[in-house]
Amino acid sequence: MSEQKALRVGPSGIEVAYERFGDPEAPPVLLVMGLAAQMHGWHEGFCDELVARGVQVVRFDNRDTGLSSHFSHGPVPDMAAALAGDTSSASYTLSDMAADAIALADLLGWDGAHLVGASLGGAIAQTAAIEHPGRVRSLTTVMSTTGDTSVGQARPEMLGAFAGPPAVTRQEVIDRMVRISRAAGSPGFAFDEAEVAARAGRAYDRSYDPPGVLRQAVAALASGDRTELLRALDLPTLVIHGADDPMCDVSGGRATAAAVPGAELLVIEGMGHSLPRALWPVLADRITGFVHHAESERGNA
């Protein structure tokens, strides 16, 4: 199905661009992407792998990315102040982003969804499960963390990948994304530079909004540590993390699994902060198997 746009979504009344795959009668899976990443961060091929295993899938642009609403009218995000503890420049929090996701599921006619979030998308999905428990059938977080700053931190060498002057031109943005993706990627699997470059170009052409990235980052900092709230969750939870993730250390995934009662933890050797093509069948098997089991338990209940 081609991209569509939902209007007046959630309490904020925003526009959300999304795309739907699979049988509309199959169990619904909502894919939530991470910081600065547009919906195409969930590769069409990976969506097809999920659909082939009996689920329907929706991917979407979070606020401030892609063709969804951008909050350029909000305060100028002050990242330095936010890192120092002053998050007064936040235009919104992860609660608002979670409400967007749940409202999109409502507009799609779903009476609940299986949430799968990657990186910041995992934090958004966690927040949705905490704040909208009746609307979340299961929770899967991939390469994410709890918001506790003592876990899930980036390795020092990642800072070098972000160094240098701001990217301005299309080619500079592509080159920067290739550099960051190579540094953050999965050392146990092939790095597809051409694919990363093509997707970076596609994202630039759809929408290039560096302040929007900062607004999302400040929102995450403003939302704090979810650990104690995660302890109160009562829903099937799967945590997937790369053993070699330099962007979000595996301690973040372990802490998430330890916080949620009964959570399953899958640590994958050689996986970093990426979803390499060679892992798609493994990830799709585990995620859809988990979703189908949760659906079975839900039916029995």
Side-chain angles (χ1 to χ4, degrees):
M1 180 179 291
S2 60
E3 292 181 21
Q4 301 182 67
K5 184 170 285 189
L7 307 177
R8 297 181 293 280
V9 175
S12 299
I14 67 170
E15 297 182 355
V16 175
Y18 70 95
E19 191 168 14
R20 194 171 190 169
F21 302 80
D23 180 357
E25 299 303 316
V29 174
L30 187 64
L31 301 177
V32 191
M33 243 303 139
L35 179 70
Q38 301 181 23
M39 70 167 86
H40 303 105
W42 299 107
H43 195 287
E44 292 86 352
F46 181 65
C47 293
D48 290 340
E49 293 273 1
L50 295 172
V51 167
R53 290 161 174 78
V55 300
Q56 61 169 310
V57 167
V58 166
R59 62 182 185 177
F60 69 101
D61 291 330
N62 284 312
R63 59 171 66 194
D64 267 329
T65 60
L67 302 182
S68 291
S69 293
H70 290 244
F71 282 68
S72 54
H73 58 279
V76 175
D78 188 336
M79 194 65 186
L83 288 168
D86 177 6
T87 57
S88 59
S89 67
S91 294
Y92 48 82
T93 67
L94 296 187
S95 293
D96 298 299
M97 300 182 79
D100 296 341
I102 295 300
L104 176 61
D106 287 341
L107 288 173
L108 293 168
W110 295 350
D111 73 341
H114 299 275
L115 299 188
V116 179
S119 194
L120 179 66
I124 296 168
Q126 291 171 24
T127 304
I130 290 165
E131 299 182 359
H132 307 272
R135 307 292 293 116
V136 180
R137 299 187 189 184
S138 75
L139 170 66
T140 298
T141 75
V142 185
M143 54 194 182
S144 191
T145 186
T146 61
D148 176 356
T149 56
S150 70
V151 297
Q153 294 301 299
R155 296 177 186 171
E157 58 264 30
M158 279 305 305
L159 298 178
F162 289 94
V168 178
T169 69
R170 186 179 191 272
Q171 190 59 51
E172 288 172 346
V173 171
I174 291 171
D175 292 344
R176 177 181 172 84
M177 181 54 65
V178 168
R179 183 175 70 250
I180 292 171
S181 297
R182 187 186 297 279
S186 299
F189 302 90
F191 178 70
D192 191 341
E193 179 173 333
E195 172 66 21
V196 171
R199 290 197 168 265
R202 182 179 185 183
Y204 181 92
D205 294 340
R206 290 180 85 235
S207 172
Y208 182 56
D209 183 9
V213 177
L214 294 179
R215 287 191 289 270
Q216 288 188 343
V218 172
L221 291 170
S223 300
D225 182 2
R226 294 175 296 282
T227 303
E228 291 306 313
L229 296 171
L230 289 170
R231 297 192 197 285
L233 287 184
D234 181 21
L235 82 167
T237 299
L238 171 63
V239 179
I240 301 173
H241 214 107
D244 301 290
D245 189 334
M247 183 74 80
C248 179
D249 184 76
V250 68
S251 59
R254 295 189 188 281
T256 304
V260 180
E264 299 178 25
L265 174 64
L266 173 63
V267 176
I268 301 177
E269 296 295 328
M271 177 179 168
H273 206 74
S274 66
L275 301 172
R277 185 181 298 267
L279 276 180
W280 290 354
V282 174
L283 295 171
D285 280 345
R286 191 61 184 266
I287 291 170
T288 58
F290 181 74
V291 165
H292 287 303
H293 180 71
E295 283 287 299
S296 175
E297 292 296 307
R298 182 170 176 263
N300 292 337

